[in-house]
Amino acid sequence: MSGIYIHIPFCKQACHYCDFHFSTSMKKKEEMVLAIAKELRMRKIEFENEVIETIYFGGGTPSVLTTSETEFLISEVYKNYVVAENPEITLEANPDDLSSERIIELAKSPINRLSVGIQSFFEDDLVMMNRAHNSTEAKKCLEEATQYFDNISLDLIYGIPGMSNEKWKQNIETALSFGISHISSYALTVEPKTALNKLIQTGKIAKPNDESAQEHFAILVETLDANDFVHYELSNFGKANYFSKNNSAYWLGKKYIGIGPSAHSYDGVSRSWNVSNNSIYLKSIQEDKLPNEIEILSVVDRYNEYIMTGLRTIWGVSLNRIETEFGSEYLDYLHKQAQKFISDDLLFIDNGILKPTPKGKFLTDGIASDLFYLN
């Protein structure tokens, strides 16, 4: 089973923390939709022996597309690829795009999962992040969307400067009050070329505090665990049967094609990525050229990637798979590198699977980098 990711590179306004590829000008939106459809057709040969299990609209802000534009792109997938009987089709959406009428439209479309970018239910946080929606819109869209969609995920950001533990708990409790079955939650990070970085450098916003973020993470894990959510990936929590199939496929190393500017693809042996420039992307597609770069993954690359993704999930890193796929040299290296983390109660081995302990979960990415094989 494989997946298709479609990157919609447009946003109404730029969130202060975001470093994803997007444009706030909608002038070329219709042209972009046609180009994305053409790229889907151009690349169908890559997946002629694959069955598509997930279609994911990410961005940017995919909900800036009309429902008919979204349906057109889904129809292009069905025309050119073999699609599973009940695929998971996700649309990332912002609350300000989810009017009552739009929610009903989407519910009648093939979209069967919404991922809503809430980030916070507090007005001051939304203003600080320069989100396009307000707190009232966040709550109203969830009230209505839950009447039409069974499968809804929402995003929350923790570690926001000045956010108390109590305020963070209220954010989580508000999310739970809507009966949501999936939550993705990320620490606020400061990326180099963002407005947030400039605001911090000029002293207009305080720098995020690692200690606060760690406390928020612990509160998140504890609260969601008490509400029957499974912490199946470092930043993702889902109730039984509500894990994101799209994201799980990525962490489990399944193949996927990324369509649109800046989108990444993976076929098990190579990784490719499209140019992060709307004009160049459009020109290339019009000239029947794929605007991407390809990297063939070495054994070391594939080992390191498995360590990174495996440790982030409940599935962990299989020592048997390390030996079978990469050899005893890599297995011995992993045992040696992992020993100090096992001794510090940050990692443990259970039935031949290496996993982070509850104490080690927040530190997973740093631990993984210490387990990487260096040439």
Side-chain angles (χ1 to χ4, degrees):
M1 292 291 188
S2 304
I4 291 180
Y5 170 83
I6 299 173
H7 188 85
I8 306 301
F10 301 105
C11 289
K12 287 180 182 175
Q13 63 190 52
C15 298
H16 284 161
Y17 56 83
C18 182
D19 72 338
F20 290 162
H21 171 66
F22 66 90
S23 168
T24 53
S25 169
M26 304 285 171
K27 286 179 185 173
K28 296 184 178 178
K29 183 163 76 80
E30 290 179 19
E31 193 180 341
M32 182 63 71
V33 170
L34 293 174
I36 286 171
K38 185 174 179 181
E39 188 189 353
L40 280 165
R41 295 191 293 272
M42 289 169 71
R43 297 184 65 183
K44 65 182 181 181
I45 193 168
E46 294 176 37
F47 268 20
E48 59 184 347
N49 299 316
E50 299 291 330
V51 176
I52 302 302
E53 191 179 25
T54 63
I55 303 168
Y56 192 100
F57 289 87
T61 309
S63 54
V64 299
L65 295 188
T66 64
T67 303
S68 60
E69 286 171 332
T70 307
E71 289 182 312
F72 165 65
L73 292 175
I74 293 170
S75 72
E76 286 299 306
V77 174
Y78 272 87
K79 283 178 194 171
N80 293 284
Y81 299 80
V82 177
V83 181
E85 193 174 337
N86 293 302
E88 176 188 88
I89 307 180
T90 302
L91 178 78
E92 287 184 357
N94 279 349
D96 46 296
D97 293 323
L98 293 178
S99 64
S100 303
E101 297 74 23
R102 185 72 194 283
I103 289 167
I104 292 168
E105 266 185 22
L106 289 169
K108 292 176 181 174
S109 81
I111 300 288
N112 52 30
R113 184 174 184 271
L114 292 180
S115 177
V116 187
I118 299 290
Q119 315 312 353
S120 176
F121 290 100
F122 290 94
E123 203 63 43
D124 57 334
D125 296 335
L126 297 173
V127 170
M128 185 277 286
M129 292 186 278
N130 201 39
R131 295 291 292 165
H133 70 276
N134 59 43
S135 178
T136 302
E137 287 173 319
K139 293 170 185 173
K140 187 172 184 287
C141 86
L142 290 176
E143 278 173 16
E144 299 192 351
T146 49
Q147 295 176 40
Y148 294 93
F149 283 86
D150 170 57
N151 198 349
I152 296 177
S153 175
L154 60 81
D155 288 356
L156 291 176
I157 291 180
Y158 60 88
I160 294 171
M163 179 183 275
S164 66
N165 288 350
E166 188 52 46
K167 188 177 177 184
W168 174 234
K169 284 177 190 173
Q170 286 180 47
N171 255 334
I172 302 167
E173 294 296 343
T174 303
L176 293 173
S177 72
F178 293 101
I180 297 299
S181 51
H182 189 281
I183 291 176
S184 296
S185 191
Y186 308 90
L188 182 67
T189 52
V190 186
E191 302 296 344
K193 295 178 182 177
T194 59
L196 178 61
N197 186 46
K198 187 172 273 189
L199 289 166
I200 289 170
Q201 285 178 343
T202 55
K204 292 177 182 174
I205 294 177
K207 189 177 179 183
N209 181 286
D210 287 346
E211 198 174 305
S212 292
Q214 194 157 357
E215 287 177 12
H216 290 176
F217 181 77
I219 291 166
L220 178 71
V221 172
E222 183 182 347
T223 308
L224 294 185
D225 181 60
N227 283 274
D228 300 322
F229 281 76
V230 179
H231 189 193
Y232 71 101
E233 192 272 341
L234 183 62
S235 302
N236 286 270
F237 304 77
K239 291 196 171 181
N241 301 317
Y242 287 96
F243 295 3
S244 166
K245 290 181 183 177
N246 173 81
N247 295 354
S248 297
Y250 163 71
W251 297 312
L252 291 169
K254 294 185 181 180
K255 297 178 183 180
Y256 58 89
I257 285 181
I259 304 289
S262 81
H264 285 58
S265 305
Y266 173 75
D267 66 4
V269 293
S270 68
R271 190 188 291 113
S272 66
W273 53 96
N274 286 347
V275 64
S276 296
N277 181 298
N278 288 4
S279 298
I280 295 173
Y281 173 84
L282 290 169
K283 187 172 186 291
S284 296
I285 295 295
Q286 284 159 4
E287 293 172 353
D288 300 322
K289 298 174 190 169
L290 289 175
N292 64 6
E293 291 183 49
I294 300 172
E295 173 192 20
I296 304 299
L297 299 174
S298 66
V299 174
V300 170
D301 291 333
R302 287 189 286 112
Y303 167 86
N304 289 345
E305 192 154 301
Y306 177 48
I307 294 294
M308 180 182 70
T309 55
L311 277 189
R312 289 179 64 99
T313 71
I314 55 169
W315 303 290
V317 172
S318 165
L319 301 181
N320 183 54
R321 178 178 165 183
I322 293 290
E323 185 168 32
T324 304
E325 203 169 311
F326 304 104
S328 56
E329 179 188 340
Y330 284 84
L331 180 63
D332 292 344
Y333 178 82
L334 178 58
H335 272 298
K336 182 182 172 186
Q337 293 298 108
Q339 198 51 56
K340 61 184 174 183
F341 298 108
I342 293 171
S343 301
D344 291 340
D345 191 33
L346 297 173
L347 293 177
F348 72 105
I349 296 172
D350 178 37
N351 288 326
I353 306 292
L354 182 68
K355 298 179 180 181
T357 64
K359 183 180 161 186
K361 275 185 180 177
F362 185 75
L363 306 170
T364 297
D365 287 346
I367 293 170
S369 66
D370 278 353
L371 302 182
F372 285 171
Y373 198 97
L374 304 174
N375 293 62

